[in-house]
């Protein structure tokens, strides 16, 4: 009986006119929680009613507190007929259940109706009194904190990172229940909203229980998704990373967040004193196959530790397509024992590759073998089976594993002894042990405390095509669980193949079309420092020392985690250009954010590969098979495109890689986005060379020359644009032991080109100079053209899909988050793949151009965290939804900082942290004083033309702010508190002082008067604006002034213009926070006080 | 192949002032795009026409959604749907309530009724202000009129507070409301040369001195209706022209003061009686609503035109009226000094303002 929930209805405003006769409304409110309902009095004839109700008290279980939302319904009293509903507010009270989050919810909430949208506002107060319940068998998990942020939240330090947690719940979708035929659309929408709210509460509670079991107190990188499976049901699933977080005292907190290196601070704290109180990892299940000490798993790592452990490149491995189970990894194999070929694995080596799907590419197997300068054994490919049917799938999976085992076993034997210092080996073993105990050593984090990430292997991914069962069956969760379990196993084995024991930056997604569902998972294989995983395994200080020595932070993560001699795939390795001690791959792909301490040259940029593939319409298994057959090709091509575009920009690494494959009735869409960077530690990319199929044909030759010239020009231009001028020194200095030619040849190999691999192979031997594109047919020409059509962002703009732009360090406070959606109708039924590709590419490019244009007043600015989501809502429609944030920066400083910063950082983190905030303060000294006004005003600078303020005056904020405050007042009424939103985990120039809880909201909007609402654009425009408004209102009611890690997970739009109808579902999430403008440390405490008072004051006021 | 849906929504609502103006001016999306292209945004920013079209549509939609709020500007500050920084809100409101002088000149003094609204297309054709913009402006007038009609307290202040307008704009609206309420005739050909600002100035004068509000500031409609008692008292001024002695005395006082100070002295002397009769008759007739409506016409016909045909300069006019007003104080038998000052103060400044080409 652990909780008493109290709610008070204060007032309403701007209510709609419900009585035409009087132009007024007789409003009253129903407050419902669980099965209990209270009502307020009717406030007659007013559009701005004052109810000032008593406190309505609900005595409830904490389990219910976690699952249920508080439901507030505003109605118009009608004496003679039924009362009309004006709208509802659902309030998630979860934030009140955690002592460290919000203590009261108080504020104006938009009254929302699924048919009419927002209709006025209501002022509500909610409190919870929680009694402690120490019952061990309790079903609730109150107090576990949830964060969408995929890094350690700013005001905490990670005492221990426990690992992966996942859960899913299934239910029938009310929209498909029989009753839906007889109820109104409003009732049906509300049933759905409520159900999803309940399900996500339940899901969160269950995950919380798992976390408690593991000994953690928080979930970081919490990612919750809905699968609307139509008739087969509704799945809500979530994954996250369980951690034990300690709150930093406010005094020490400040460093944390400079915007520059977001993570640094917390991280460092964490490092210095990781607390050891965490428990041993709770999870202990061993996988059977790996559990034995001599298990392969271990073995692999070991070998890697050894000197040349696996060396390959760190690259990216790519993904495998899952559907086929095979893994793909290319590389690794190799080595001493040529024998060892790895069977199923395909790693992709460094670069390129996509191996995964191998199946389909017959050539791939051969590729590996063919070239190796080293002996590579290669692997066969795989088997990829298509898998619509799960039985098949399973089979293939197991197959793979066996192979793996075999392979790894060998590997371990061979390499074990090599050079690695025993210590290192020991460390690794420990880590491994810790990790092995986990069923899935996965982490949803994308950025880490310094020292956490030791090496990065490359991207691993898996996809699987499933047929949704038509008949809903109550045991559903088990089926869905099993599906995901398979995929995760696959990911795990891919990682192992890359010599890595963990997967970071892990995420899962689905794409559903009718009864076919593609499940995808991807992440970055990595080797982690065991410190965070285990209690007391080593003295920290010394650990650091040891680790750091071999791999300085600015380049350590690039060093290959696998055994050089065992490289299974054709990657080319060189000595690290930064420390010159360890081997690095030629190209590195990852799904994580760039470690802040990494050394980069120049700036980064958004790189996208886009692809459309037509497929025949089909049903059931035939359809699933067709899709699985296509997947490998798509992955391969996306990969090739990425690789080419990367080279075209003269860069050598991708961060934040996200590949989405979306299925429609007659086509598949693939979109890969990542942020390209030139990592100083990696070798300079070779150029791109064009080769004709038929040498000798003169005109053709000429043509090729022209294209070649264009490519070379583009590369040169891009180098300038992104300021990539890797000191030629580097190359010379490096004097790498590995002769250049050799490198190149390897490079070359790994990427297979679009055409057939055999020819590639040949080329590799012949011209070692570069990445060769062969023009053998018109498709190839098109491909090359499309390469060149990506327009660079206009002057003053940068774009990336990671948290921040590598190479930009001095963010100012201008922030503009936006969501944009476009739907394109293909009218021509006879489109070819090429034509579709062009349309799709143009669609994406035009969207970007639109953003640049709209945000031009913010120049110089960077679009960060550009998150594209594609869908095929109907047969001839392509939908692209983008959420991103534009942030201004100070151009002048840009140049200087990058140079020293990364370097220094590595050396003395602590000092650095201290310095940094100080510098900032100096810039904006006056800010300090202003803090108080700021709070509510933080956002101010956000406006459309923030730049002016921030650039022109050294201390713009204050003025702007105070002015705005004043003017607010002059406007009379209670002005609305400003709430900033950002998809990033921080707001530049501010410090997060408190996390108030997770925001996870689901809305449905429907209309039967589409034309009157401005068509489908008008409908969606106002819906998105309404969603923003509701998110802001909830955050403000929690006492917050910003949402970080905001994302729009779902935006499903269905329209029927003929019937004048449309319906849209949107799911958004993020972390509500209080942040203050960054100041120096001395003033900290006072600042905080001020803030708190202010915010509470604000609460009262509103 | 077409873009079926295209939206862009910012957490802070993005509004381009140029596009806002085009929207206010009643341009269609396509026309607005043309104007913007000619304006050169494209070259400035290497954008294509598509980009411009998409941006313009987005903004138009945003403005349409905001329009409801702009109808009661106080709501804009505490609505939750759009996050708009306060200074921007102020700009939005100010621009929304701004009007074209050409348009207002046509409507000034007319009843703000449906009938007038039907004539808007003629006005639109005549002034080349788009019909859409005419409607917005007309509706704004009407909305302000309705709201302040029922309020107590100073007119300008009420408008400023309810519509969050700048002082200048609030005064203009006060003038419009005042003219509409009293239905002053402004459309006659002889009045065509007067601008809205001329009338607005006069309205300000009348509001300040001739309304009930000038004496009592807590009455309804205090700034909209003229002070009836005062109008009655104005009849007393007739003595200045009906009493022959007084008239002659007045004339000689004025002439003495003016002699040698202006080239138009002869004309002034010759016309004195006419002019004086003109002004005093206007005063005496103001109790009739009909004559109130013709106030400006009368001023022009009875006073301004004769002077103009005699080629008085503006400073002649100033000189004449100053002495004309002041001399009345010296007349022993003239007892209505207070009413005279209240009347002539306004007449003087109105005529100064109206005496131009």
């Amino acid at each position: 009986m652990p909780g008493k929930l109290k709610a008070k209805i204060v007032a309403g405003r701007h209510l709609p006119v419900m009585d035409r006769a009087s132009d007024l409304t007789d409003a009253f409110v129903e407050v419902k929680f669980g099965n209990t309902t209270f009502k307020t009095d009717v406030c007659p004839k007013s559009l701005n009613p004052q109810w000032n109700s008593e406190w309505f008290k609900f005595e409830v279980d904490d389990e219910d507190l976690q699952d249920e939302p508080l439901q507030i319904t505003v109605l118009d009293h009608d004496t003679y007929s039924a009362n009309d509903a004006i709208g509802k507010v659902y309030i998630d009270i979860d934030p009140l259940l955690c002592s460290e989050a919000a203590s009261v919810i108080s504020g104006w909430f938009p009254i929302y109706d699924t048919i009419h949208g927002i209709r006025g506002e209501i002022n509500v107060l909610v409190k919870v009194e929680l009694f402690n319940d120490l019952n061990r068998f309790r079903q609730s998990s109150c107090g576990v904190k949830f964060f969408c942020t995929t890094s350690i939240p700013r005001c905490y330090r990670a005492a221990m990172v426990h690992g992966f947690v996942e859960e899913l719940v299934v239910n029938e979708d009310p929209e498909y229940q029989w009753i839906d035929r007889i109820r109104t659309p409003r009732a049906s929408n509300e049933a759905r909203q409520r159900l999803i709210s309940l399900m996500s509460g339940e899901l969160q509670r269950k995950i919380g229980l798992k976390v408690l079991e593991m000994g953690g107190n928080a979930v970081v990188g919490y990612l919750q998704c809905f699968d609307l499976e139509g008739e087969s049901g509704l799945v809500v699933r979530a994954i996250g990373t369980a951690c034990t977080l300690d709150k930093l005292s406010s005094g020490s907190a400040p460093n944390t967040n400079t915007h520059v290196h977001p993570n640094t601070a917390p991280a460092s704290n964490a490092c210095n004193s990781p607390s050891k109180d965490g428990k041993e990892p709770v999870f202990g299940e061993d996988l059977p196959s790996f559990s034995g000490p001599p298990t392969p798993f271990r073995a692999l790592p070991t070998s890697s530790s050894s000197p040349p452990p696996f060396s390959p490149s760190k690259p990216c491995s790519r993904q495998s397509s899952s559907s086929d189970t095979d893994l793909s990894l290319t590389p690794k194999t190799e080595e001493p024992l040529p024998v060892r070929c790895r069977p199923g694995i395909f790693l992709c080596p460094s670069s390129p590759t996509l191996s995964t799907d191998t199946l389909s590419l017959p050539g791939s197997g051969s590729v590996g073998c063919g070239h190796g300068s080293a002996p590579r054994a290669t692997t066969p490919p795989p088997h990829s089976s298509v898998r619509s049917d799960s039985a098949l799938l399973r089979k293939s999976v197991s197959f793979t594993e066996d192979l793996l085992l075999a392979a790894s076993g060998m590997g371990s034997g061979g390499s074990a002894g090599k050079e690695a210092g025993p210590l290192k080996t020991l460390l690794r073993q420990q880590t491994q042990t810790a990790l092995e105990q986990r069923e899935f050593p996965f982490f949803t984090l994308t950025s880490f405390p310094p020292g956490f990430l030791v090496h990065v292997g490359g991207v691993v991914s898996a996809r699987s095509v499933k047929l949704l069962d038509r008949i809903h069956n109550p045991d559903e969760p088990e089926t869905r669980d099993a599906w995901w379990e398979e995929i995760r196993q696959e990911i795990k084995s891919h990682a192992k193949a890359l010599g890595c024991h963990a997967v970071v930056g892990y995420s899962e997604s689905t794409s559903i079309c009718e009864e076919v569902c593609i499940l995808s998972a991807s992440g970055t294989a990595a080797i982690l420092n065991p410190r965070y995983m285990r209690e007391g395994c080593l003295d920290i200080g010394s650990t650091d020392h040891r680790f750091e020595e071999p791999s300085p932070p600015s380049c350590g993560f690039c060093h290959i985690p696998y055994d050089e001699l065992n490289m299974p795939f054709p990657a080319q390795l060189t000595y690290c250009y930064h420390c010159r001690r360890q081997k690095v791959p030629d190209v590195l792909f990852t799904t994580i954010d760039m470690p802040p301490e990494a050394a980069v040259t120049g700036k980064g940029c958004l790189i996208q590969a886009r692809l459309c593939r037509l497929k025949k319409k089909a049903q059931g298994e035939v359809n699933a098979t067709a899709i699985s057959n296509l997947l490998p090709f798509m992955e391969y091509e996306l990969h090739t495109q990425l690789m080419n575009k990367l080279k075209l920009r003269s860069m050598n690494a991708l961060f934040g890689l996200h590949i989405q494959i979306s299925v429609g009735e007659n086509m598949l869409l693939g979109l890969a986005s990542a942020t390209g960077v030139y990592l100083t530690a990696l070798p300079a990319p070779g150029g791109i060379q064009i080769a004709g199929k038929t040498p000798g044909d003169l005109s053709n030759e000429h043509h090729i020359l022209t294209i070649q010239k264009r490519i070379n020009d583009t590369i040169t231009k891009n180098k300038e644009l992104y300021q990539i001028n890797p000191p030629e020194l580097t190359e010379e200095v490096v004097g790498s032991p590995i002769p250049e030619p050799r490198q190149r040849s390897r490079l070359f190999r790994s990427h297979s080109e679009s055409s057939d691999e055999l020819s590639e192979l040949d080329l590799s031997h012949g011209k070692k100079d570069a990445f060769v594109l062969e023009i053998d047919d018109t498709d190839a020409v098109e491909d090359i053209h499309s390469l060149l059509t990506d327009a660079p962002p206009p002057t003053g703009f940068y774009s990336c899909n990671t948290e921040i732009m590598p190479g930009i360090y001095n963010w100012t406070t201008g922030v503009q988050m936006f969501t944009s959606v476009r739907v394109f109708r293909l009218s021509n039924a006879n489109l070819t793949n090429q034509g579709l590709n062009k349309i799709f590419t143009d669609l994406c490019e035009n969207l970007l151009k639109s953003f640049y244009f709209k945000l031009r007043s913010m120049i110089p600015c960077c679009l960060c965290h550009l998150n594209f989501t594609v869908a095929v809502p109907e047969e001839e429609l392509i939908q692209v939804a983008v959420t991103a944030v534009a942030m201004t920066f100070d151009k002048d400083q840009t140049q200087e900082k990058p140079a020293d910063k990364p370097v220094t950082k590595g050396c003395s983190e602590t000092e650095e942290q201290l310095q940094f905030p100080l510098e900032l303060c100096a810039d904006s000294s006056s800010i300090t004083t202003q803090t108080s006004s700021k709070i509510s005003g933080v956002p101010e600078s956000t406006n459309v033309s923030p730049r002016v303020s921030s650039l022109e005056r050294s201390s713009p904020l204050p003025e702007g702010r105070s002015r705005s405050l004043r003017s607010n007042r002059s406007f009379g009424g209670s002005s609305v508190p400003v709430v900033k939103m950002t998809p990033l985990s921080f707001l530049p120039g501010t410090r997060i002082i408190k996390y108030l809880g997770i925001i996870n909201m689901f809305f449905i909007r429907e209309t039967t008067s589409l034309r009157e609402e401005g068509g489908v654009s008008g409908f969606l425009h106002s819906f998105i604006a309404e969603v923003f408004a509701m998110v802001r209102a909830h955050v403000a009611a929690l006492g917050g002034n910003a949402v970080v890690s905001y994302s729009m997970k779902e935006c499903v739009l269905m329209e029927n213009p003929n019937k004048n109808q449309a319906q849209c579902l949107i799911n958004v999430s993020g972390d509500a926070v209080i942040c203050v403008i960054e100041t120096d440390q001395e003033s900290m405490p006072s600042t905080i006080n001020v803030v708190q008072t202010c915010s509470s004051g604000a609460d009262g006021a509103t | 192949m077409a873009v079926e849906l295209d939206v862009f929504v910012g957490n802070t609502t993005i509004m381009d002032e140029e596009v806002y103006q085009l929207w206010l001016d009643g341009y269609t999306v396509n026309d607005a795009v043309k104007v913007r292209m000619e304006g050169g945004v494209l070259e400035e920013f290497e954008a294509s026409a598509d980009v411009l079209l998409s941006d313009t549509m987005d903004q138009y939609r945003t403005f349409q959604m905001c329009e409801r709020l702009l109808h009661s500007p106080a709501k804009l500050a505490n609505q939750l749907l759009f996050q708009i920084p306060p200074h921007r809100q102020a700009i939005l409101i100010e621009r929304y309530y701004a009007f074209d002088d050409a348009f207002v000149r046509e409507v000034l003094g007319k009843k703000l009724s449906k009938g007038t609204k039907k004539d808007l297309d003629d006005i639109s054709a005549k002034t080349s202000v788009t019909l859409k913009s005419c409607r917005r402006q007309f509706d704004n007038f009407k909305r302000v009129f309705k709201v302040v009609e029922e309020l107590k307290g100073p007119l300008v202040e009420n408008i400023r507070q309810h519509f969050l307008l700048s002082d200048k704009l609030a005064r203009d609206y006060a003038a419009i409301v005042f003219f509409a309420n009293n239905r002053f005739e402004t459309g006659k050909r002889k009045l065509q040369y007067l601008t809205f600002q001329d009338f607005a100035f006069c309205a300000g004068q009348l509001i300040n001195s001739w309304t009930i509000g000038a004496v009592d500031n807590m009455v309804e409609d205090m700034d909209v209706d003229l002070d009836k008692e005062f109008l009655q008292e104005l009849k007393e001024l007739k003595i200045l022209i009906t009493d022959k002695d007084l008239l002659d005395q007045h004339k000689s006082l004025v002439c003495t003061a003016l002699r040698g100070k202006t080239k138009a002295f002869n004309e002034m002397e010759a016309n004195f009686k006419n002019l004086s009769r003109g002004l005093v008759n206007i005063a005496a007739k103001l109790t009739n609503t009909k004559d109130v409506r013709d106030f400006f016409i009368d001023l022009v016909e009875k006073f301004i035109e004769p002077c103009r045909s005699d080629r008085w300069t503006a400073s002649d006019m100033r000189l004449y009226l100053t002495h004309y007003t002041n001399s009345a104080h010296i007349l022993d038998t003239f007892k209505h000094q207070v009413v005279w000052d209240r009347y002539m103060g306004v007449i003087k400044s109105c005529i100064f303002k109206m005496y131009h080409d």
Side-chain angles (χ1 to χ4, degrees), chain A residues 986-1034:
Chain A
F986 65 99
L987 278 166
T990 67
R991 199 159 47 74
I992 294 173
I993 56 169
K994 192 168 185 189
Y995 280 82
L996 300 166
I998 198 168
I999 296 284
N1000 185 0
M1001 303 169 89
F1002 176 86
F1003 298 103
I1004 300 179
R1005 179 88 150 78
E1006 184 164 347
T1007 184
T1008 48
S1009 51
L1010 190 57
R1011 271 185 298 277
E1012 295 76 358
E1013 296 200 27
V1016 71
S1017 294
F1019 170 69
L1020 190 60
H1021 191 140
S1022 51
F1023 185 33
I1024 293 176
E1026 284 167 351
V1027 169
F1028 285 179
M1030 289 184 277
V1031 170
R1032 287 192 302 255
H1034 277 79

Side-chain angles (χ1 to χ4, degrees), chain A residues 629-647:
Chain A
N629 284 339
L630 273 174
L631 285 179
F633 291 97
M634 293 193 64
E635 300 240 21
Y636 179 82
E637 243 177 81
L638 286 171
H639 191 267
T640 308
Q641 262 189 47
L642 282 177
M643 202 65 203
N644 287 337
K645 289 186 177 179
L646 187 66
K647 294 204 175 288

Side-chain angles (χ1 to χ4, degrees), chain B residues 81-299:
Chain B
L81 190 54
F82 298 103
Q83 184 156 278
I84 305 172
H87 70 273
R88 223 144 239 284
Q89 293 179 13
I91 295 177
L92 284 182
I93 297 170
E94 190 79 3
R95 295 263 183 95
Y96 190 79
Y97 282 90
F99 47 79
D100 292 305
D101 281 356
F103 172 77
V104 73
R105 193 59 193 75
E106 294 297 320
V107 181
L108 198 62
K110 288 194 180 143
K111 200 170 170 193
L112 300 175
S113 62
K114 291 231 170 81
T116 313
K117 196 166 179 183
K118 279 184 195 141
D119 299 337
L120 288 181
D121 31 4
D122 295 340
I123 298 179
S124 164
K126 185 172 168 197
T127 58
S128 62
V129 172
T130 60
L131 183 57
K132 207 177 152 226
S133 178
C134 289
R135 291 215 177 106
R136 169 182 59 85
Q137 299 180 35
F138 183 80
D139 290 341
N140 283 344
F141 297 159
K142 211 169 143 183
R143 192 176 314 113
V144 172
F145 186 90
K146 278 192 125 178
V147 169
V148 296
E149 215 177 12
E150 295 158 9
L151 292 173
K152 295 182 181 174
L155 182 60
V156 176
E157 193 50 27
N158 281 343
I159 294 176
R160 221 165 54 83
Q161 290 203 341
H162 271 82
F163 293 92
L164 308 175
L165 301 178
S166 66
D167 191 58
K168 165 85 175 64
L169 198 51
R171 282 178 196 288
D172 286 350
Y173 269 93
I176 293 165
V177 169
F178 184 73
F179 268 68
N181 189 58
N182 291 292
R183 315 272 304 280
F184 287 109
E185 176 59 68
T186 64
K188 289 274 160 55
R189 204 156 45 82
K190 287 183 177 164
L191 294 178
Q192 284 308 317
Y193 79 100
L194 292 170
T195 65
F196 168 71
Q197 285 309 328
D198 293 335
F199 285 118
F201 174 83
C202 298
Q205 295 296 315
L206 267 68
I207 293 170
N208 282 336
S209 308
W210 287 4
T211 58
I212 319 170
V215 283
D216 176 352
N217 60 6
M218 269 338 268
V219 203
E220 228 169 77
D221 282 346
M222 61 177 228
D223 281 348
V224 182
D225 294 335
L226 295 176
D227 182 353
K228 295 258 160 50
E229 280 176 40
F230 167 66
L231 298 182
Q232 281 301 335
E233 288 166 6
L234 283 178
K235 294 197 164 187
E236 312 289 337
L237 298 182
K238 269 199 138 180
I239 193 167
L240 279 176
I241 50 171
T242 50
D243 181 327
K244 186 127 195 327
D245 288 349
L246 216 48
L247 184 57
D248 288 339
Q249 208 180 335
H250 193 188
K251 179 178 173 183
S252 70
L253 280 171
V254 173
C255 290
T256 315
L258 288 175
R259 194 182 312 268
K261 292 190 181 153
T262 165
K263 285 180 184 163
F265 177 74
N266 291 336
E267 291 84 350
M268 286 179 184
E269 189 174 27
N271 274 337
F272 181 88
K273 288 188 182 168
N274 269 344
L275 293 176
S276 188
R277 266 188 210 113
L279 289 181
V280 175
N281 277 330
I282 292 175
K285 288 193 303 176
L286 283 178
T287 42
N288 286 333
T289 322
K290 164 85 179 59
D291 292 304
V292 170
R293 288 185 195 169
D294 289 340
F295 176 70
F296 291 98
I297 278 256
D298 290 343
L299 273 188

Side-chain angles (χ1 to χ4, degrees), chain A residues 816 823 825 827 854 979 1055, chain B residues 1-2 4 11-12 55 83:
Chain A
Q816 170 66 279
V823 174
R825 181 173 290 279
S827 59
K854 277 186 191 287
V979 175
E1055 49 162 333
Chain B
M1 276 171 282
E4 170 131 339
N11 182 38
T12 302
D55 180 55
Q83 184 156 278

Side-chain angles (χ1 to χ4, degrees), chain A residues 13-14 108-110 118 121 794 797 816-827 839 849-856 859 877 940 942-944 963-964 967-968 971 974-976 978-981 1016-1018 1020-1022 1024-1026 1028-1029 1032-1033 1053 1055, chain B residues 1-16 18-19 36 41-42 44-48 50-52 54-59 61-62 64-65 68-69 73-91 93 161 164:
Chain A
R13 68 182 182 196
H14 306 161
W108 288 100
F109 290 88
I118 291 179
E121 289 128 33
F797 268 111
Q816 170 66 279
M817 189 281 292
F818 61 86
T819 289
S820 181
V821 181
R822 262 187 206 190
V823 174
F824 198 85
R825 181 173 290 279
L826 309 164
S827 59
I839 288 171
K849 280 184 199 154
S850 266
F851 301 158
Y852 298 139
F853 180 75
K854 277 186 191 287
L855 299 163
R856 63 194 184 283
I859 288 179
L877 297 183
E940 238 304 272
T942 318
N943 323 339
V944 180
R963 186 173 40 114
S964 68
S967 47
N968 274 348
F971 272 86
S974 47
S975 65
V976 177
V978 184
V979 175
K980 278 192 178 183
M981 293 166 74
V1016 71
S1017 294
L1020 190 60
H1021 191 140
S1022 51
I1024 293 176
E1026 284 167 351
F1028 285 179
R1032 287 192 302 255
L1053 177 71
E1055 49 162 333
Chain B
M1 276 171 282
V3 174
E4 170 131 339
L5 174 157
D6 178 12
V7 300
F8 177 101
V9 188
N11 182 38
T12 302
T13 306
I14 293 187
M15 297 180 172
D16 180 314
E18 185 200 348
V19 185
R36 295 183 79 188
V41 223
L42 283 190
E44 235 171 76
F45 210 76
E46 349 166 349
S48 68
D50 289 348
V51 168
L52 212 49
S54 141
D55 180 55
T56 312
M57 300 260 279
D58 263 327
Q59 306 231 22
R61 266 199 306 273
T62 308
Q64 271 153 23
M65 287 190 257
R68 191 175 45 85
L69 298 165
K75 272 192 192 164
L76 197 61
N78 59 14
Q79 50 85 33
L80 303 177
L81 190 54
F82 298 103
Q83 184 156 278
I84 305 172
H87 70 273
R88 223 144 239 284
Q89 293 179 13
I91 295 177
I93 297 170
Q161 290 203 341
L164 308 175

